[in-house]
Amino acid sequence: MSTAATGTNSSATERRYFDLPQGWWKMPLFFSLTMAMIGLRFFPALAALLVFLIWSWRNDRYEFLIQYTILIGAFGFMKPNALVVFPCDIAMFASAILWIVMRKPPILRKTLIAIVVYFLMLIALALTSVESMTIQIFTMRFWMVIITIIIPFFVFAGREFDFDTFLNKIMPYVLIICIFYIIDAFILSGNVLMPGTMGWVDTTFYSPDWHPLSGMFFRKYPPGLYLLALVLQPIARHYKLRPWQWAVILIALISTQTFTLIGTVVVGYIIFQGRRSLIIKSVVAVVVAGFAAYFIDGVLPYHNQDGYPQSTLRIRSSIDQVIALTDAVDDEDIAEFASGRMAQALPKVELVQSVDREWIGLGFLHPDKTHINQYIIDNNYYSDVTKAEELATGVEIIPVQIWINVGWTGLIGHTIFFFVLWLFIRKLRLSIYFVSVLYFNFVMGLAGFMGLTSISGLALTSLAYAIVILPQRPELADGLRSWSDLATKNRPRTN
């Protein structure tokens, strides 16, 4: 059994390259182009998407699992609400049925109990809010995407699952998406191949947001590169990349101009190597490279974004914000931190405190549907006064947003829930893989990206949790002849 699959020490086995056979790019490329067409609102592409999913279901379940995950998480190909129905809603509905009809070994029964307790906590806290449940459910349901943990078990019911095979299937999608980022950022200068990333104007098939060959360095926001969470730990410990693959990933990371993403990947690559000597060498190399990047970025032009000065690569400006925070003397100085994210948070934190809801939060307020006057604030920390009046939600620091929604009770319960999930699988060979995805979510969430309350973050977390268990199903079968067979509850066990 392979090193990656067993989770044994990588020092005992030589790190190896990903297995990319001839024509590896075809399926990921055409599927990604189809998703891009849907993101550009060219809806005839939905027929092609259906063909891909049917073909993958019949011929390659690994491809199907990856394509399904990309579809429900959007990942920069389209906005999550691009279609009439959220794909994640369909996945959650299907998951609820599967949890009822599928036979569950002890580890999944415990998982289901934890999920139900977690959901009951969220509902109980929501019921204390002055906002109606009919409004809150629109926001709260995204916190519940974790229920889709069951879908990979259905996809691989009666079939073997090999971790190495999955990695060799997901890596081509990661590389294709990175290439799409590079083309969009440096050649097309717009949102064309990854149209679901943030832009200043809407982009469609017939009216794309682009400036081809203009030489403009277009910032590509990072949702498409969230998929790096699925390969970060394997690359750090078990696999190695060819020079062209490193170049594609690194240039794609630079195209995002997102210091949080770059830092998450670099730090994660270091800490998940698992060997002290490699970690020390990597830290030294990163520090040297970081100093060089800081000074290089300092000589490049600055620009103004939402009233905050940003360096070209956003490395120097991000570090300078941290340095400036140590000299903060009042709330105005603190509000400048994190590209204005603290300006978002401060008045909303003050509102929660003023209404004495620190332990239970304000509830799951909806940015468009909530119209409760007492939760409308005048944010004086914004440099743009036209944005001053806003709802007390939408903070781009995920832990703070969780606290605003459900208070200390919910934040503690939320943390315990994911810790409990790890406890269930901690003795399995691939448990560190789940930890690496949690790490990616948490660090990115500090800057308002992904997070364990978002569709994309929970789609990856659910998948990672299932992937840890799937290779060891025979050992966890608890006497069941076919661990994942669909069956009624009363079907007798066979030995």
Side-chain angles (χ1 to χ4, degrees):
M1 190 174 291
S2 64
T3 300
T6 63
T8 56
N9 194 319
S10 62
S11 62
T13 305
E14 183 180 358
R15 289 155 62 100
R16 57 205 178 280
Y17 292 110
F18 284 95
D19 180 18
L20 302 181
Q22 185 176 10
W24 61 267
W25 51 271
K26 292 180 181 178
M27 173 65 79
L29 174 62
F30 294 130
F31 177 80
S32 297
L33 286 173
T34 299
M35 288 292 294
M37 291 298 100
I38 297 172
L40 290 169
R41 301 181 189 175
F42 185 73
F43 294 119
L46 286 169
L49 175 64
L50 184 61
V51 170
F52 277 116
L53 292 174
I54 293 174
W55 185 94
S56 296
W57 177 264
R58 298 181 62 180
N59 297 280
D60 192 329
R61 293 295 175 88
Y62 293 96
E63 294 280 359
F64 178 86
L65 190 59
I66 293 166
Q67 292 169 3
Y68 144 80
T69 302
I70 292 175
L71 176 61
I72 69 167
F75 297 105
F77 284 111
M78 62 183 185
K79 299 288 196 271
N81 61 349
L83 305 176
V84 176
V85 179
F86 278 71
C88 74
D89 288 337
I90 299 175
M92 291 169 67
F93 178 75
S95 297
I97 296 175
L98 291 175
W99 278 111
I100 295 171
V101 302
M102 287 185 69
R103 299 205 63 183
K104 296 171 283 294
I107 194 169
L108 278 193
R109 288 200 293 268
K110 292 189 295 184
T111 300
L112 178 58
I113 292 171
I115 290 174
V116 170
V117 171
Y118 176 61
F119 286 1
L120 289 175
M121 180 200 70
L122 296 179
I123 293 169
L125 290 169
L127 289 172
T128 69
S129 175
V130 297
E131 181 59 279
S132 67
M133 282 296 294
T134 55
I135 297 296
Q136 291 188 75
I137 194 64
F138 285 99
T139 299
M140 184 169 59
R141 77 187 198 278
F142 297 141
W143 293 45
M144 297 180 168
V145 175
I146 194 69
I147 196 176
T148 59
I149 281 172
I150 195 66
I151 287 183
F153 296 102
F154 172 69
V155 173
F156 279 88
R159 298 169 181 262
E160 291 187 1
F161 181 91
D162 180 72
F163 184 54
D164 284 303
T165 302
F166 171 78
L167 292 176
N168 284 296
K169 292 288 186 177
I170 189 66
M171 194 62 196
Y173 286 87
V174 171
L175 292 172
I176 291 295
I177 290 172
C178 286
I179 292 170
F180 278 14
Y181 262 73
I182 294 169
I183 294 173
D184 260 4
F186 301 105
I187 299 176
L188 301 180
S189 297
N191 286 327
V192 179
L193 295 177
M194 302 297 296
T197 56
M198 179 178 166
W200 297 114
V201 299
D202 201 11
T203 183
T204 66
F205 182 77
Y206 296 105
S207 181
D209 173 23
W210 65 341
H211 305 84
L213 302 177
S214 65
M216 180 178 67
F217 184 2
F218 187 89
R219 182 186 179 188
K220 294 292 297 180
Y221 281 79
L225 299 187
Y226 295 167
L227 288 174
L228 286 170
L230 296 178
V231 296
L232 178 60
Q233 186 270 338
I235 290 174
R237 188 147 189 181
H238 302 294
Y239 283 84
K240 54 185 177 180
L241 299 177
R242 301 185 187 280
W244 74 267
Q245 294 168 344
W246 274 119
V248 164
I249 292 175
L250 292 175
I251 296 173
L253 286 171
I254 292 172
S255 75
T256 68
Q257 302 179 50
T258 302
F259 184 71
T260 304
L261 175 62
I262 297 170
T264 299
V265 172
V266 171
V267 173
Y269 180 79
I270 292 172
I271 65 178
F272 287 111
Q273 291 185 65
R275 287 195 286 169
R276 186 178 302 174
S277 59
L278 282 175
I279 291 175
I280 294 173
K281 291 177 183 177
S282 297
V283 169
V284 172
V286 168
V287 170
V288 172
F291 272 110
Y294 177 83
F295 288 107
I296 291 173
D297 197 23
V299 301
L300 296 174
Y302 270 63
H303 63 277
N304 191 284
Q305 181 174 323
D306 294 333
Y308 300 97
Q310 302 285 353
S311 55
T312 299
L313 301 177
R314 303 183 79 247
I315 296 174
R316 179 159 187 154
S317 56
S318 297
I319 295 175
D320 285 348
Q321 288 177 36
V322 177
I323 296 172
L325 186 63
T326 62
D327 298 324
V329 296
D330 55 26
D331 288 349
E332 293 287 347
D333 292 331
I334 296 175
E336 297 289 329
F337 181 62
S339 301
R341 288 181 176 86
M342 290 304 295
Q344 287 180 334
L346 285 175
K348 296 161 189 177
V349 169
E350 292 169 358
L351 175 63
V352 175
Q353 294 171 335
S354 69
V355 295
D356 295 323
R357 297 185 69 92
E358 295 96 325
W359 281 96
I360 56 177
L362 303 179
F364 298 91
L365 308 183
H366 191 279
D368 299 318
K369 299 179 183 295
T370 295
H371 304 289
I372 300 173
N373 289 334
Q374 71 182 96
Y375 293 157
I376 304 296
I377 63 172
D378 190 18
N379 194 332
N380 296 319
Y381 294 111
Y382 287 152
S383 57
D384 186 351
V385 295
T386 62
K387 299 179 180 179
E389 186 175 286
E390 61 175 350
L391 184 68
T393 189
V395 175
E396 294 178 31
I397 306 171
I398 300 301
V400 176
Q401 181 61 61
I402 293 173
W403 179 79
I404 291 172
N405 286 136
V406 289
W408 288 116
T409 302
L411 181 58
I412 294 170
H414 175 83
T415 304
I416 290 174
F417 169 67
F418 287 99
F419 179 72
V420 166
L421 290 185
W422 172 77
L423 286 179
F424 291 160
I425 62 172
R426 71 190 186 284
K427 294 182 180 180
L428 301 184
R429 292 187 292 265
L430 292 171
S431 61
I432 191 64
Y433 183 71
F434 179 67
V435 173
S436 71
V437 176
L438 287 181
Y439 154 82
F440 206 101
N441 269 282
F442 174 74
V443 180
M444 290 294 289
L446 295 177
F449 300 107
M450 291 181 70
L452 296 171
T453 59
S454 70
I455 300 173
S456 57
L458 289 174
L460 297 182
T461 302
S462 301
L463 177 60
Y465 186 82
I467 283 173
V468 172
I469 300 172
L470 281 168
Q472 290 189 247
R473 281 176 295 175
E475 302 166 42
L476 304 169
D478 190 34
L480 293 179
R481 177 174 54 121
S482 184
W483 188 85
S484 298
D485 279 349
L486 290 174
T488 63
K489 292 182 180 178
N490 297 323
R491 176 179 171 179
R493 296 181 180 182
T494 56
N495 294 317

